[in-house]
Amino acid sequence: MKQTRAALPVAEPASAKAADKALARGAEKLEWARQVCREGHLRRTPAREEILQFLAHQDRPATLATLSGERRIAATCDPATVFRVLQKLEEAGLVRRIWLHERAPYYILLFPHDHRDYVLCTGCGKVEETRLECPVQKLEKEVGERLGYIEIHHELGFYGVCPDCQEKPGTRRGGKKSSCC
């Protein structure tokens, strides 16, 4: 006699759950950014809206060229306008500009309590989140407590050669020596 099992609910694939979570997180970031714009009396222009939507749904920093080349942003404005919008968003505390080595700056939405540090490949320019707990955040708190500063932030960048570039012939290994301060 053949046994039958009761139908169990089919679990949503992990990748679908992650995608839904990322989409919800992006929507939360976008709503926060819109609220900051309203409170700062920044007009809701089509260019600003497209740039905020793009940044809210990114998990890594983007260059001006990447932003300007994004189809929906390019349909709304030119690269000079993208640059001006990014400057205004940075002044309003919505965007963080990250200077990574000798490359063009990268931009990321400055969502509260969403601090991330990155590693840059000096070969190809790829940027990846470290996904490590940042030890400098404890120092920020101490600096604030000891010296009375508020709204303290830092930039912590790591540089190296990514696994893909290590496989390329002629890759300079060892590169520049590490130096601090």
Side-chain angles (χ1 to χ4, degrees):
M1 180 175 218
K2 187 177 178 183
Q3 286 185 328
T4 59
R5 294 189 300 180
L8 297 173
V10 177
E12 194 176 356
S15 60
K17 285 183 182 179
D20 288 346
K21 187 176 179 181
L23 195 59
R25 182 78 166 155
E28 179 185 3
K29 288 179 176 183
L30 181 59
E31 187 49 43
W32 167 80
R34 287 174 175 158
Q35 181 64 34
V36 171
C37 285
R38 280 191 294 273
E39 290 170 0
H41 306 290
L42 294 175
R43 290 183 311 134
R44 190 169 173 182
T45 65
R48 187 171 290 141
E49 181 67 18
E50 290 299 334
I51 291 168
L52 287 174
Q53 281 189 29
F54 181 83
L55 290 173
H57 290 91
Q58 291 299 300
D59 63 347
R60 65 186 56 194
T63 63
L64 176 62
T66 301
L67 284 155
S68 298
E70 209 306 287
R71 183 182 51 82
R72 291 178 59 161
I73 294 172
T76 307
C77 58
D78 63 11
T81 302
V82 173
F83 179 74
R84 286 191 303 272
V85 169
L86 287 170
Q87 282 184 310
K88 196 69 167 173
L89 293 175
E90 186 180 7
E91 289 170 12
L94 282 159
V95 169
R96 174 181 167 199
R97 180 177 24 181
I98 303 169
W99 292 96
L100 295 170
H101 207 39
E102 297 165 356
R103 300 199 178 260
Y106 288 73
Y107 299 89
I108 192 159
L109 199 63
L110 190 57
F111 192 63
H113 311 293
D114 193 22
H115 174 78
R116 298 172 186 206
D117 293 309
Y118 302 93
V119 60
L120 170 79
C121 176
T122 55
C124 66
K126 177 171 72 172
V127 178
E128 288 188 75
E129 182 182 344
T130 62
R131 299 190 188 278
L132 300 170
E133 184 178 333
C134 180
V136 180
Q137 288 181 310
K138 292 176 186 175
L139 292 173
E140 284 181 352
K141 184 176 179 181
E142 187 175 334
V143 166
E145 289 171 356
R146 285 188 181 193
L147 302 176
Y149 281 68
I150 62 170
E151 298 180 24
I152 297 172
H153 64 279
H154 72 274
E155 297 291 331
L156 180 61
F158 296 95
Y159 307 93
V161 179
C162 74
D164 292 338
C165 287
Q166 291 173 34
E167 300 297 320
K168 295 176 185 172
T171 298
R172 190 173 122 196
R173 299 192 75 154
K176 293 182 178 179
K177 290 186 177 179
S178 175
S179 63
C180 179
C181 309

